Amino acid sequence: MKTILILLIFFSIIALPAFGELTEADLNEIRLIVKDEVKSKITASEKRMKEHINTQIESVDKRLSLVTTLIIGLIALIVLAVGIPQILMALRSRKDDTLQKQIETLN
């Protein structure tokens, strides 16, 4: 029982300085430390946000260039698919015209 009483008194004596109050200078120092930490966190967050936005913009640019290339390729394919048969038909009609003229000159 004596050891418990001695330990209780010892711990009470140790805990007494914990009830001390902060002075205005202590509070100002704490405010400065907190303000500096907040500023550093904000600048770090802004830097990460800018890097993320730049990365997103670059990826969107890459996608747009890919889509543009794909559209140009499809347009070229459509032009070829429509143009080649038209050219072949025009060449055939010229042959037919020359043959028709030859037939008329022979008659």
Side-chain angles (χ1 to χ4, degrees):
M1 189 70 165
K2 287 182 184 180
T3 38
I4 294 176
L5 185 61
I6 291 172
L7 286 174
L8 186 63
I9 293 171
F10 177 71
F11 288 134
S12 296
I13 291 172
I14 291 175
L16 282 177
F19 294 115
E21 293 184 18
L22 293 174
T23 63
E24 191 64 32
D26 293 337
L27 291 174
N28 286 335
E29 190 174 327
I30 291 171
R31 285 185 192 117
L32 287 175
I33 292 171
V34 168
K35 191 180 288 186
D36 289 340
E37 285 294 318
V38 168
K39 281 184 182 179
S40 67
K41 295 288 183 180
I42 288 174
T43 55
S45 175
E46 287 176 349
K47 183 179 177 184
R48 285 193 315 265
M49 184 65 75
K50 286 178 184 178
E51 290 175 2
H52 179 70
I53 288 172
N54 288 338
T55 304
Q56 291 295 324
I57 289 173
E58 289 174 3
S59 68
V60 167
D61 285 342
K62 287 179 184 177
R63 287 185 206 152
L64 283 177
S65 67
L66 178 65
V67 168
T68 304
T69 306
L70 182 64
I71 288 174
I72 290 171
L74 288 174
I75 290 173
L77 183 65
I78 290 170
V79 167
L80 288 175
V82 172
I84 290 175
Q86 291 293 326
I87 291 171
L88 291 176
M89 293 298 290
L91 290 175
R92 248 191 225 161
S93 68
R94 281 190 188 165
K95 283 184 183 178
D96 289 343
D97 287 342
T98 57
L99 287 176
Q100 189 69 23
K101 286 181 185 178
Q102 285 177 359
I103 291 173
E104 288 177 2
T105 56
L106 291 176
N107 284 336

